[in-house]
Amino acid sequence: MLRALGIRDFVIVQRVEIELGPGFTVLSGETGAGKSILVDAIELLMGGRADAATVRGGAERAELSAEFDLDQGVPLASWLAEHELEGDPGSLILRRSVDPAGRSRCFINGHAVTLAQLREAGEYLVDIHGQHAHQSLLRAAAQRELLDAHAGAQALARETAEAFRAWKRLEALAAQAQAQFAQREAERGDLQAKVDELARLAPREGEWDLLTAEHARLAHGSALLEGAQASLETLSEAEGASLPQLAAVSARLRALAEHDAQLVPVVEGLEAAASQAGEALRELRRYASRVELDPQALREAETRIEALHAAGRKFRARPAELPSLAGELQARLAELDLAVDPEALRREVGAAQERFAAAAKSLSARRKSAAQALSKEVSEGMQQFAMSGARFAIGLRALEAPAATGAEEIEFEVSSHPSLPLRPLVKVASGGELSRISLALQLVASKASPVGTLVFDEVDSGIGGAVAETVGRSLRRLGRERQVLCVTHLPQVAAQGDRQWTVVKAGAHGKLAVSVQQLEGKARVEELARMLGGAQVTATTRRHAAEMLGG
């Protein structure tokens, strides 16, 4: 459940803080006051698209936050634990900021996350039904998506689409292989020769760096040994060697330091130098004892380096890149081996087609079952919305050729009277009927939704009177099971709310300010009276508003 919503510098909203409760909450306000901006804010927090217009003019960025109750053991809690995004027990906090360039930063429980992760978390939390849903309902794609969502078949629909695309890719490869067989065979022969040559050379990852370092050591073995021995003589073995002289100077100055303390630092420095020089001498002796002159090893290293250099020149690659090049050529050869083997390719195409057929069959079965149940529930809902005798059905017709969307096309059908046949929704529904059918669909779909918060943004557009009151009661009943937020301009719907907030827009000196206030008692009666009577609120409309609230 959405516990609190915070909005700052968003569109025309400077700062708004709302604390929400369970049940059915109504958001009302005059036309243009910014009621739907609150829904837009929730949608952004659920991972919706942001742009520069999101930020209020003159502000550095828009800041949005939402706090939700989170029960332990629910799927979202497991998802948060899996992604190491847990927060305080029983609570979940989402935050998003958007700068004037449209760039945003997203946080879950204080942890920075990607927009995709925010969107994935949002799918567990909120289901938004927009005010233009009845318009999209005429699109075949929207009808199919609604049915799949009600059937819980979105994952299966994606699997079917992916299987279809994989099948068609292999079919295209088969056709291309047939058309370009000779060309591919020539390429395959050339590749095979290169792969064989590199296999004989067998370049190893990291070999080039190790080989060049070893070659440098072997090639300069004489110079290294000669230099080490000469240095040893200069330091300790030749007449007038450095170390004995350094020790003699230190001893002489040490004796003189007894008469002048100013010489003490000089003596200590010389003794330290003598100690370090002695350590260097010992290391140099060990080094000289290990240096070997190995002409055979040097010749072998030079031969290997020349072989790698030659291969690099031939294949237009640096010697160090030869191991990865060998892998790439081998992978390409494997592709061509498949392409030039028609029988193997036919088997791959057949297997891919079978995978698609199996996925499409499962999807069709899921759709058929859901279509029957949804048709019945929406037909029952239409009776409540002043469409007595009307019927709703979802037609599933087999496609002549399968598609990424499955083996059938989905079409919503309606009949406004028992004596009339079912016809496509796009051809027979009037604007008012379409709004009511859409609302019936959304109410049914929302019951199947597993999320805890449902948001309806002026979905009651195009209805009124007794139908509006029925809609309000339906939303109130739904609020007993889930948290329901509804933006409405209808007093009949607003009166059914467990609580009501109003959005107020005021302006002075060219600046707009939006505030959100919870209404209780007389204030709520006054708002309902305004919704009933418009700008002219009378004692009659106030009395009618009080009656609607049961006062």
Side-chain angles (χ1 to χ4, degrees), residues 501-523:
W501 293 75
T502 185
V503 180
V504 179
K505 180 170 69 175
H509 307 295
K511 294 184 178 180
L512 288 174
V514 173
S515 62
V516 183
Q517 304 161 6
Q518 185 168 7
L519 301 175
E520 295 178 343
K522 291 182 179 180

Side-chain angles (χ1 to χ4, degrees), residues 22-23 40 42 63 141 233 336 348 403 492:
D40 293 340
I42 295 174
E63 293 275 359
E233 288 183 10
L336 290 177
E348 288 290 328
Q492 298 94 328

Side-chain angles (χ1 to χ4, degrees), residues 151-171:
Q154 296 104 319
L156 185 54
R158 288 193 294 271
E159 179 187 339
T160 301
E162 290 167 4
F164 178 84
R165 287 190 287 270
W167 168 32
K168 291 303 174 182
R169 276 196 302 271
L170 281 170
E171 272 195 341

Side-chain angles (χ1 to χ4, degrees), residues 83-87 93 95 106-114 117:
H83 292 81
E84 299 182 349
L85 298 172
E86 302 102 313
I93 297 176
R95 187 165 64 85
C106 309
F107 301 87
I108 297 178
N109 287 328
H111 303 281
V113 296
T114 65
Q117 287 176 310

Side-chain angles (χ1 to χ4, degrees), residues 377-399:
E377 290 186 66
V378 174
S379 294
E380 292 172 353
M382 289 163 63
Q383 313 309 307
Q384 302 174 31
F385 296 157
M387 297 183 72
S388 180
R391 289 178 296 148
F392 176 84
I394 301 177
L396 277 66
R397 295 178 180 79
L399 293 168

Side-chain angles (χ1 to χ4, degrees), residues 229-245:
Q229 290 174 341
S231 299
L232 284 170
E233 288 183 10
T234 302
L235 285 171
S236 67
E237 297 171 4
E239 185 177 348
S242 303
L243 276 177
Q245 290 193 45

